[in-house]
Every structure is written in structure tokens, then in C-alpha cells.
Amino acid sequence: MYRVCFVCTGNICRSPIAESVFRSHVADAGLAGLIEVDSAGTGGWHEGDGADPRAVAVLSAAGYEQDHRARQFRASWFADLDLVIALDAGHLRDLRALAPTPEDAAKVRLLRTYDPAATAAGGDVPDPYYGPFEGFEECLELVEAASPGLLNAVREAVKEHTQ
């Protein structure tokens, strides 16, 4: 099983959206039995909470399923993960600093690097939490734009992983 974990700050907005979207892409590609998808936050403020209602509304309107409970990312998880996807540069930095080994730090990637239309200046998925509903719609759009590239990369890694 190839394991992917999406990470944002509190694990109630961006990472649950990314988890739901990517899980749908994995299922549509017929890879659900080979790839496990989950999410977490760099902080534990919302542990045990469901996703933000605005995130749930955006996902539901777009036809994505979600059943989410927030949790905090732990350094010990690196051993069981193949890829850790950060939603912004701050998460990328924090996760790499948390990694117990250089090999674990190398597992951490920024989501928008998988979107061919993203630029270096626009590499983050902005945090919609304190803003209007449109920020959640933008978050979904950015996640959807990066998901095909991420799926292709993971599909190749799974081929190597299973050989």
C-alpha cells in the first residue's frame, strides 16, 4: 500500500479538501486498493473535530464525499508514509523540520508543484479559514488543478513500489 498524507495547519479546511479530492481521483483511476489517502494538521487545535462546514459545503456541491476527523501530524508517522503533501510553504518547512531523517524530509512535497499552471510565486494554497466562502471555492479549484499531476506521480511511484 502506497500512503499519501495531506497536511495543512488545523486539518479542517485545506487538507480535508485535498484528501477528499485526491481520494476521488484515486478511486476513479481504479487505484483505491493500492493507495491510501488521509490528512492531518501541523497543530492539534481541532483534533477530533469534523471539517469546517464551509469545506464540507464546497466538497458536497462538487460531488465529493468526506467523512473527516481532524488530527495532528506526528513525526513517528513518517515511517509509514510514502508521500507527505504540504498545502503551503510554511507547512513544507515545518514538516521537513519535524522529519526524523533526511529520507523522511525528502518525502515532503508542496501540492501545487504538481500543477503545471502554478508559478513559484503562487505555490501555496491560501488558507480560507478567516475569509469568505469564496476562499473555500478557490481552495477546491487549486487542489483540483494539482490532483491530476499528483495522481500521475503517485501512479508511477506505485509501479516502482510494487515491482
Side-chain angles (χ1 to χ4, degrees):
M1 184 71 67
Y2 191 88
R3 292 175 174 86
V4 179
C5 183
F6 293 90
V7 182
C8 69
T9 305
N11 193 216
I12 60 169
C13 297
R14 292 174 283 179
S15 57
I17 288 173
E19 175 187 355
S20 293
V21 170
F22 193 65
R23 184 176 289 127
S24 176
H25 278 74
V26 166
D28 290 348
L31 300 170
L34 300 173
I35 301 168
E36 182 179 295
V37 182
D38 62 16
S39 66
T42 57
W45 312 277
H46 299 286
E47 275 191 302
D49 293 347
D52 184 290
R54 297 166 293 177
V56 173
V58 164
L59 288 168
S60 295
Y64 295 106
E65 294 181 18
Q66 70 84 37
D67 179 21
H68 178 74
R69 290 286 161 231
R71 60 199 188 127
Q72 183 175 2
F73 191 90
R74 308 276 185 234
S76 61
W77 297 0
F78 276 105
D80 295 324
L81 293 169
D82 297 289
L83 189 58
V84 180
I85 302 293
L87 277 289
D88 71 27
H91 306 131
L92 181 76
R93 183 184 58 250
D94 292 349
L95 289 162
R96 286 186 174 163
L98 185 65
T101 68
E103 294 79 18
D104 289 328
K107 295 176 182 180
V108 184
R109 304 284 168 74
L110 192 60
L111 176 64
R112 297 221 40 230
T113 60
Y114 296 97
D115 178 355
T119 64
D124 289 349
V125 175
D127 187 353
Y129 187 74
Y130 292 106
F133 186 77
E134 291 77 23
F136 287 83
E137 294 171 328
E138 178 189 13
C139 177
L140 178 63
E141 289 171 11
L142 294 173
V143 167
E144 286 178 328
S147 291
L150 176 57
L151 182 63
N152 288 337
V154 170
R155 183 184 285 126
E156 288 303 311
V158 167
K159 284 180 188 175
E160 294 173 16
H161 195 71
T162 57
Q163 289 178 352

